[in-house]
């Protein structure tokens, strides 16, 4: 049942709906390009939707002239607010609505400010999946209401708007997890007031907590936990002991497959504590914002976890040497590599990674190749004198070119690479390219040989570059014009144009085969 309205309760026609609050949304580093959110399907539209999913169908008697089952099929397509209104029509409709609520297995709701969700949850004792988008504060009363009303709950997600406050403490969260013996997935935003917690559960397999701050105690006794995501506040005065926390996670959660930790306090010592845990099933590792993570940390990770499929070290201090270690250890497993905000990585390291990792499908190098002199200005004639006075080292950082040829790469992000002035891509499977704020990339030094491109993000780029991108993505072969070999003059004085290598392999029979139109590519500039 999909929503056409975003209000939780029926409202008077004379009252406008409340303004929507932006949601921060949990970061999905562990499933960067996946479509499934741990049990919750994303809405098909960009609007926040309410949803009531019915796991099975109940036949209902005829009501007010409707044949058996017809009213059921009509009402189940209403949003929750519409279903509440339909129950007031007559006794037959009220009974059908009651059965619909009881049959619901998944409920996705937006809770406006100063509203309570308890009256709706009491109607749905069979809920298995619950997702709440809170514009109202989250507190222990709401948590207790969920625990009482949804005894079979397996998946719970609580998102909050910027105006809402999550007041749940660590003790309250620990009691909730311990009491919900069926709970498999817990995702919660705004956890700045936890203080500390003890989580004990034999059923929990997925745990996402964001906005954590200064945790005095962290105990994870979850033997079947497979995925954990812990995002901390970026405040420098965070006092959480990450070494002790990671050591406890490793000892008490031996089945972990995916780990994501985002904290400015991440360091080489934390990495050593993690590698000492010897998590044999670990496949995805994301350690973000740790400026004290170095090439030595990469060596420790590579020696302990040689089967990684995703590695995210964004915000670290690793260099091209660290990338070399990654390439030596993970050529047969790694498909996603994220190295955004790594100032010591150069275009040479990125090129080496794409050449040595044949299974790579996603790479994020945002803000790695940066202009050290200017963050906001685009070079022009007015600052030529500044460029002349720049040291050779800085010139090397500014004028970098990137050449990537890869047969499997699907997503490439170079956002904010202001030091990049030349880009050549030969990636037949590439469908998403992010060039936002590549301010010094020259139009005449751009070549895109990517026939399957669907989206190119070019916000903050020069107008000439945007025009070059639009020109190249609209024509498969327009990007080849500047690289075709010169004409060869024969003995009789005539000229012969040599066929490029990428075309010479095609036989004459290929021309007889039906041709399929190339996908339309969107160039996004805002």
């Amino acid at each position: 049942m999909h929503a056409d309205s975003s209000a939780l309760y029926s409202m008077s026609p004379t009252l406008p709906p409340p303004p929507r609050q932006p949601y921060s949304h949990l970061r999905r580093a562990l499933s960067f390009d996946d479509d499934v959110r741990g049990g919750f399907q994303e809405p098909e539209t960009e609007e926040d939707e309410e949803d009531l999913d019915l796991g099975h169908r109940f036949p209902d008697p005829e009501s007010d002239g409707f044949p058996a089952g017809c009213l059921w099929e009509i009402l189940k397509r209403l949003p929750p607010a519409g279903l509440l209104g339909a129950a007031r029509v007559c006794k037959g409709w009220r009974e059908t609505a009651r059965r619909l609520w009881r049959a619901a297995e998944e409920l996705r709701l937006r809770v406006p400010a100063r509203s309570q969700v308890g009256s709706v949850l009491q109607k749905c004792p069979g809920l298995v999946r619950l997702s709440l988008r809170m514009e109202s504060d989250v507190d222990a009363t709401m948590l207790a209401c969920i625990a009482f009303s949804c005894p079979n709950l397996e998946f719970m997600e609580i998102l909050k708007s910027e105006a809402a406050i999550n007041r749940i403490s660590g003790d309250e969260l620990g009691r909730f997890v311990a009491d919900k013996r069926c709970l498999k997935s817990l995702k919660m935003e705004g956890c700045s007031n936890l203080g500390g917690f003890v989580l004990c559960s034999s059923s929990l397999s997925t745990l996402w907590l964001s906005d954590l701050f200064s945790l005095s105690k962290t105990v994870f006794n979850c033997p079947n936990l497979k995925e954990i995501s812990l995002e901390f506040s970026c405040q420098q005065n965070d006092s959480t002991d990450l070494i002790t926390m990671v050591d406890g996670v490793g000892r008490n959660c031996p089945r972990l497959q995916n780990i994501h930790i985002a904290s400015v306090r991440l360091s080489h010592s934390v990495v050593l504590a993690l590698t000492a845990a010897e998590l044999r099933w670990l496949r995805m590792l994301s350690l973000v914002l740790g400026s004290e993570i170095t090439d030595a940390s990469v060596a420790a990770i590579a020696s302990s976890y040689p089967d990684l499929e995703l590695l995210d070290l964004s915000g670290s201090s690793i260099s091209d040497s660290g990338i070399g270690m990654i390439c030596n250890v993970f050529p047969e497993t790694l498909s996603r590599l994220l190295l955004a905000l790594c100032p010591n990585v150069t275009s040479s390291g990125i090129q080496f990674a794409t050449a040595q990792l044949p299974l790579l499908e996603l790479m994020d190098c945002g803000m790695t190749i940066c202009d050290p002199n200017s963050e906001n200005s685009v070079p022009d004639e007015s600052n030529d004198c500044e460029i002349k006075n720049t040291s050779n080292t800085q010139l090397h950082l500014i004028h970098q070119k990137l050449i990537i040829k890869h047969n499997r790469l699907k997503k490439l992000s170079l956002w904010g690479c202001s030091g990049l002035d030349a880009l050549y891509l030969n990636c037949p499977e590439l469908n998403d390219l992010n060039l936002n704020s590549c301010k010094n990339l020259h139009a005449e030094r751009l070549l895109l040989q990517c026939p399957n491109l669907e989206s190119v993000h070019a916000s903050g780029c020069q107008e000439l570059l945007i025009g070059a991108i639009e020109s190249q993505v609209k024509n498969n072969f327009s990007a080849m014009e500047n690289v075709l070999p010169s004409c060869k003059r024969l003995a009789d004085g005539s000229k012969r144009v040599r066929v490029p290598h990428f075309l010479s392999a095609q036989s004459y029979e290929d021309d007889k085969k039906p041709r399929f139109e190339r996908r339309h590519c969107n160039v996004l500039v805002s």
Side-chain angles (χ1 to χ4, degrees):
M1 181 182 301
H2 294 287
D4 295 322
S5 168
S6 62
L8 177 60
Y9 301 105
S10 298
M11 303 181 67
S12 170
T14 60
L15 296 177
R20 294 198 172 188
Q21 301 281 355
Y23 297 93
S24 53
H25 292 294
L26 292 161
R27 187 176 185 272
R28 300 173 58 198
L30 299 181
S31 51
F32 193 95
D33 57 345
D34 297 337
D35 294 326
V36 180
R37 303 180 59 199
F40 291 97
Q41 297 290 335
E42 289 283 0
E44 296 179 359
T45 64
E46 295 182 357
E47 296 287 334
D48 290 324
E49 293 192 6
E50 295 173 6
D51 189 78
L52 183 66
D53 180 65
L54 307 174
H56 52 279
R57 176 176 168 180
F58 283 68
D60 59 285
E62 294 187 11
S63 176
D64 293 345
F66 285 102
C70 182
L71 182 62
W72 175 278
E73 293 296 326
I74 293 173
L75 294 186
K76 81 173 187 178
R77 288 167 170 78
L78 294 177
L83 189 58
L84 288 171
R88 302 190 184 102
V89 173
C90 64
K91 182 178 179 180
W93 283 40
R94 182 167 60 253
E95 178 62 21
T96 303
R98 186 185 67 82
R99 293 186 181 184
L100 278 165
W101 285 113
R102 295 186 65 84
E105 293 184 350
E106 178 174 345
L107 182 63
R108 186 165 50 239
L109 287 175
R110 183 182 69 90
V111 183
R114 297 180 300 278
S115 297
Q116 300 295 325
V117 72
S119 59
V120 175
L121 294 181
Q122 291 174 5
K123 301 174 183 291
C124 311
L127 275 184
V128 176
R129 299 176 178 87
L130 175 64
S131 178
L132 300 175
R133 291 166 172 81
M134 302 297 298
E135 293 178 5
S136 179
D137 290 351
V138 184
D139 54 23
T141 302
M142 191 196 77
L143 207 59
C145 180
I146 294 174
F148 177 78
S149 303
C150 309
N152 301 317
L153 194 65
E154 296 181 6
F155 302 89
M156 187 178 80
E157 177 183 58
I158 298 179
L159 309 176
K160 73 175 200 67
S161 67
E162 294 181 0
I165 300 175
N166 187 341
R167 304 183 186 279
I168 295 175
S169 69
D171 291 339
E172 293 161 350
L173 181 64
R175 286 194 295 270
F176 176 82
V177 171
D179 292 341
K180 304 302 295 182
R181 300 183 182 276
C182 298
L183 191 65
K184 297 179 180 179
S185 176
L186 173 62
K187 301 181 180 182
M188 184 180 295
E189 287 186 341
C191 302
S192 58
N193 292 315
L194 290 183
F197 53 78
V198 177
L199 300 182
C200 300
S201 173
S202 60
S203 61
L204 196 65
S205 62
T206 301
L207 176 65
W208 288 22
L209 302 176
S210 71
D211 305 309
L212 298 166
F213 178 72
S214 292
L215 299 178
S216 59
K217 176 178 61 176
T218 55
V219 177
F220 299 88
N221 187 7
C222 305
N224 293 311
L225 194 66
K226 296 182 179 179
E227 178 172 310
I228 186 170
S229 175
L230 304 174
E231 291 202 0
F232 288 81
S233 168
C234 292
Q235 299 180 42
Q236 294 293 335
N237 58 345
D238 184 3
S239 61
T240 305
D241 186 351
L242 292 183
I243 298 176
T244 302
M245 183 193 76
V246 168
D247 178 69
V249 169
R251 286 187 290 103
N252 298 320
C253 308
R255 297 179 178 272
L256 275 173
Q257 298 177 8
N258 306 335
I259 296 178
H260 168 62
I261 301 175
S263 172
V264 294
R265 293 180 59 83
L266 282 170
S267 63
H268 179 59
S269 299
V270 176
V271 174
L272 293 179
L274 180 62
T275 55
E278 298 181 356
L279 300 169
R280 57 182 298 188
W281 305 109
L282 193 64
R283 295 296 179 267
M284 298 184 182
L285 178 60
S286 173
L287 302 175
V288 179
L289 301 180
S291 60
E292 297 183 19
I293 293 178
T294 62
D295 292 341
S297 308
V298 175
I301 293 171
S303 63
S304 300
Y305 303 116
D307 298 322
L308 290 180
E309 299 171 5
L310 178 149
L311 180 60
D312 186 354
L313 297 177
S314 297
S316 69
S317 296
I318 74 166
S319 66
D320 292 351
S321 298
I323 292 181
M325 286 184 261
I326 292 172
C327 295
N328 289 335
V329 176
F330 305 114
E332 298 180 357
T333 61
L334 200 65
S335 62
R336 283 168 281 180
L337 179 61
L338 296 92
L339 301 174
L341 296 164
C342 295
N344 298 328
V345 171
T346 68
S347 59
S348 299
I350 297 172
Q351 286 181 186
F352 187 76
T354 55
Q356 299 297 318
L357 299 173
L359 301 183
L360 203 61
E361 296 184 0
L362 179 147
M363 189 165 189
D364 184 0
C365 306
M367 292 290 289
T368 52
I369 309 172
C370 293
D371 180 352
N373 298 317
S374 175
E375 297 181 357
N376 299 316
S377 62
V378 177
D380 51 26
E381 296 180 358
S382 63
N383 58 13
D384 283 347
C385 59
E386 295 180 10
I387 294 180
K388 290 179 181 178
N389 295 328
T390 304
S391 66
N392 292 333
T393 302
Q394 288 179 322
L395 282 174
H396 174 70
L397 293 174
I398 297 173
H399 301 293
Q400 297 193 56
K401 66 179 179 180
L402 186 59
I403 302 173
I404 296 178
K405 182 178 181 180
H406 202 285
N407 292 327
R408 298 190 63 168
L409 192 64
K410 295 180 180 179
K411 294 187 178 182
L412 176 63
S413 180
L414 299 171
W415 59 274
C417 289
S418 57
L420 187 67
D421 71 346
L423 178 64
Y424 305 96
L425 299 180
N426 185 343
C427 305
E429 296 299 320
L430 192 70
N431 57 53
D432 191 279
L433 175 62
N434 191 335
L435 299 177
N436 285 342
S437 299
C438 290
K439 301 174 182 179
N440 295 329
L441 182 58
H442 297 292
E444 64 273 12
R445 304 189 70 182
L446 173 72
L447 179 57
L448 303 179
Q449 299 176 20
C450 311
N452 287 314
L453 265 179
E454 298 177 4
S455 299
V456 179
H457 307 266
S459 177
C461 295
Q462 301 181 48
E463 291 296 331
L464 287 176
L465 177 63
I466 296 173
I469 294 172
E470 292 174 342
S471 175
Q472 293 192 30
V473 300
K474 288 179 181 177
N475 188 335
N476 276 334
F477 305 109
S478 63
M480 298 294 185
E481 294 176 355
N482 295 326
V483 294
L484 291 178
S486 58
C487 298
K488 179 180 180 181
R489 185 175 295 277
L490 302 182
D492 60 359
S494 63
K495 293 182 179 180
R496 176 180 297 170
V497 178
R498 188 179 304 163
V499 178
H501 176 73
F502 76 96
L503 290 177
S504 61
Q506 297 180 358
S507 65
Y508 174 74
E509 295 297 326
D510 291 341
D511 294 336
K512 299 181 180 180
K513 296 179 181 179
R515 295 183 180 273
F516 298 93
E517 291 186 4
R518 181 174 172 273
R519 297 178 184 177
H520 176 69
C521 179
N522 297 315
V523 180
L524 309 174
V525 295
S526 60

